[in-house]
Structures are given as structure tokens and as C-alpha cells.
């Protein structure tokens, strides 16, 4: 047996999240707690959307029976999780809702000034200013503009999910992220 196979951690838990940005936020929050999820035997799996929850639950059950499964979801997608989990409350199965979505939770936690500072640190202030000048954005609240801005370019949501979590003290990380990490 190869040495690397002997050192590989036993899979203890799978965290199912809707997308790559959620995965980046979970990993960043874990690092902020001084944790290495991979070394702890925890795999964070982006499903490509809430509608895939039933399929991913079946895959985990078939390939890793008995492994703890937990995750995050957007509150608007709760019905998919209720049906897939067969319970009235997904949180009882270690799944935790984000009020609108994880980006909204992070914007609220960091604050609009903090998000704008992160945008500046990533060299995208000019792009944000241009975005805010668009007719559809002019009358929207700053938080709503930032939320939309984060999703306008491929990879931006994931990059900022990580950056915004890294701006927070562990105690200020949004409750759904803290809760999901506490159960694995």
C-alpha cells in the first residue's frame, strides 16, 4: 500500500453545498477556525444547485454509508431539501438555511463598506462604479447592488465568498456557516 494511501484521512462527513462559492466560503470559515477539513476527513461538495440534493444524498448513501451528511441551502430552496430529506425541517438533518443566499449573509456580516473595501483590494472598484451607473442599478440599495455585482462575472462569487469570510472574525461568520462547521 502506498504511503499516501495510509495517510489519507477516513471520510467522516460530507458537506453538500449549492455551488462553488458556498464551498469557498465553508473552506475559508474552517481555516478561520484553524481547521483543515480535508485532514479532518470532511469533504465539501458543490452540487450545482439545490435541485440536485436528492441525487447527491443518494450518491453519498451508496458510496459512503453511515457518513454524516450536512450542508447549506438558500431558504427559498427549502422545499427541495424537505422532500429529499423526508422531514419537515432540514436543520434537523444538519442542513442550515441562508436567509436569501450565502452572498447576502456575507454582505450583511461584512457590511457594505467592508464589501466595497474587498472590491477595491481586488482591483475592481472601477468595474463596480461602472456597474452602479447602469440604469437598472442606479436606484437600488448599495447592498443589493453589491449582491448583483458579485454574480456578474464567472468566478467572482467564489473569489469574494472566500475574501469576505476572511475579513470576518470567526464569531462574526454568518450563523449557517458556523452551524454547519459545528456539526462536522
Amino acid at each position: 500500500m502506498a504511503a499516501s494511501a495510509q495517510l489519507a484521512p477516513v471520510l467522516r462527513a460530507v458537506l453538500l453545498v449549492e455551488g462553488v462559492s458556498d464551498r469557498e466560503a465553508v473552506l475559508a470559515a474552517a481555516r478561520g477556525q484553524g481547521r483543515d477539513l480535508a485532514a479532518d476527513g470532511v469533504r465539501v461538495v458543490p452540487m450545482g444547485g439545490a435541485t440536485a440534493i436528492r441525487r447527491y444524498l443518494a450518491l453519498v448513501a451508496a458510496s459512503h454509508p453511515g457518513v454524516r451528511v450536512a450542508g447549506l441551502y438558500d431558504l427559498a430552496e427549502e422545499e427541495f431539501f424537505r422532500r429529499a430529506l423526508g422531514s419537515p425541517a432540514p436543520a434537523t438533518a444538519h442542513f442550515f438555511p441562508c436567509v436569501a443566499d450565502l452572498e447576502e449573509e456575507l454582505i450583511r456580516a461584512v457590511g457594505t463598506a467592508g464589501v466595497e473595501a474587498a472590491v477595491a483590494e481586488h482591483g475592481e472598484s472601477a468595474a463596480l462604479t461602472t456597474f452602479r451607473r447602469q440604469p437598472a442599478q442606479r436606484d437600488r440599495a448599495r447592498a443589493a447592488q453589491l449582491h448583483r455585482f458579485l454574480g456578474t462575472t464567472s468566478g467572482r462569487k467564489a473569489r469574494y465568498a472566500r475574501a469576505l469570510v476572511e475579513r470576518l472574525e470567526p464569531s462574526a461568520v454568518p450563523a449557517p456557516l458556523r452551524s454547519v462547521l459545528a456539526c462536522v
Side-chain angles (χ1 to χ4, degrees):
M1 180 179 287
S4 62
Q6 293 173 345
L7 299 176
V10 173
L11 185 64
R12 293 186 316 101
V14 174
L15 296 183
L16 299 175
V17 296
E18 290 191 38
V20 174
S21 62
D22 302 321
R23 180 180 189 276
E24 291 299 319
V26 167
L27 294 174
R31 280 191 305 274
Q33 294 178 352
R35 294 181 64 190
D36 177 346
L37 294 181
D40 290 347
V42 179
R43 187 174 306 149
V44 184
V45 179
M47 300 181 295
T51 59
I53 183 63
R54 185 180 306 269
R55 181 168 49 97
Y56 275 84
L57 287 171
L59 285 170
V60 172
S63 59
H64 305 288
V67 166
R68 177 179 288 245
V69 180
L72 298 172
Y73 64 93
D74 300 343
L75 191 57
E77 311 295 348
E78 187 167 64
E79 189 56 34
F80 293 110
F81 286 78
R82 285 183 186 194
R83 283 187 297 214
L85 295 166
S87 79
T92 62
H94 311 293
F95 281 83
F96 303 92
C98 297
V99 173
D101 57 24
L102 189 54
E103 290 76 27
E104 187 270 341
E105 295 270 1
L106 292 171
I107 291 167
R108 189 169 3 101
V110 173
T112 55
V115 177
E116 290 165 347
V119 169
E121 289 168 9
H122 282 84
E124 293 194 297
S125 291
L128 177 59
T129 299
T130 299
F131 176 79
R132 286 179 160 162
R133 288 182 183 148
Q134 294 176 2
Q137 300 304 321
R138 289 183 196 144
D139 296 329
R140 296 180 78 193
R142 285 172 55 201
Q145 290 172 337
L146 291 167
H147 188 272
R148 181 66 190 111
F149 177 76
L150 295 180
T152 58
T153 300
S154 178
R156 186 180 277 159
K157 279 174 61 172
R159 186 170 60 251
Y160 282 101
R162 181 176 48 253
L164 296 178
V165 170
E166 289 171 350
R167 295 182 80 79
L168 296 168
E169 292 296 321
S171 62
V173 168
L177 278 173
R178 288 193 324 266
S179 296
V180 79
L181 288 171
C183 76
V184 295

